Amino acid sequence: MLNIFRARLHQGARTVQFPDQEPTLPPRFRGRPLLDASRCADGCTACVDACPTGAVTAGPDRLALDLARCLFCADCVEACPEGAIGFSSDFRLAERARSRLLVRSPVPTPTTPDGARELVLAKELLRLFGRSLKLRVISTGGCGGCEAEVNVLGTVVFDLSRFGIQYVASPRHADGLLITGPVTSHMREALRKTYDAIPEPRLVIAVGACAISGGPYVDHPEVHNGADSTVPVDLYVPGCPPHPLTILEGLIGLLGRTREAAR
């Protein structure tokens, strides 16, 4: 028993200090894309041709990458002869509007004075959910990748419950849905019924490229290209799969618990 206590003291705190401290991510981590259209050669479409989901578009002095479709596979990076595409270590990718998942070069004029991302719920919803948010997780045909990242948020490392967010077993006990998977034909009705069982007001979070756009299965006849084909979505968390910190940052951002607000 003493050896157990000694080992536990030696290990120290296991929970990451985010959002109070910036997390340390591995060098190979792929976060928000970095695009530089000025490097593109005239008529070059190598990155467009390499993308398996059609996430990359290019034109004269213009380059764009749709995070809704991006698998973060880096095929576009390897195909680009000019180094016009890369990935940063910025894990803050979640957005309230799907249109804001489009990364462009040149960078468009920001919609807010400082270009800040706004995730926080409306005042009344924040009053209801700000201290306690119960989510029913539903996989609508996913491969298991996003499901694993969602599940790991409940471990001691990330400890989702410290922000008042918990997963529940019944939609009737939930405040919202957290959806993974491309919404297959077999799961569409189940998703609709689960959504209808949640009392209003209710939230919907789409996690992963599949849940946002269909991911690698986009336009397949047996999928419906994401959750918003069936239910309204309040938060999009891109990735294939998204890092747990990307999911966590999006969820606590909804509740106004950004890094600055947490201090």
Side-chain angles (χ1 to χ4, degrees), residues 174-251:
D175 301 312
L177 278 179
L178 191 154
I179 303 169
T180 60
V183 188
T184 62
S185 295
H186 288 297
M187 284 300 298
R188 192 177 197 187
E189 185 62 22
L191 172 60
R192 185 181 291 112
K193 287 183 177 180
T194 304
Y195 175 78
D196 290 341
I198 298 175
E200 295 186 0
R202 52 200 168 194
L203 304 175
V204 175
I205 297 107
V207 174
C210 285
I212 299 174
S213 69
Y217 312 105
V218 62
D219 294 331
H220 189 282
E222 291 300 319
V223 304
H224 294 279
N225 292 350
D228 58 8
S229 66
T230 306
V231 295
V233 176
D234 299 286
L235 181 70
Y236 299 91
V237 186
C240 186
H243 193 280
L245 284 170
T246 301
I247 306 171
L248 179 61
E249 192 269 338
L251 291 176

Side-chain angles (χ1 to χ4, degrees), residues 135-157:
L135 297 174
R136 174 70 171 99
V137 179
I138 179 169
S139 174
T140 58
C143 69
C146 291
E147 291 81 357
E149 303 303 323
V150 168
N151 288 340
V152 82
L153 289 177
T155 66
V156 68
V157 175

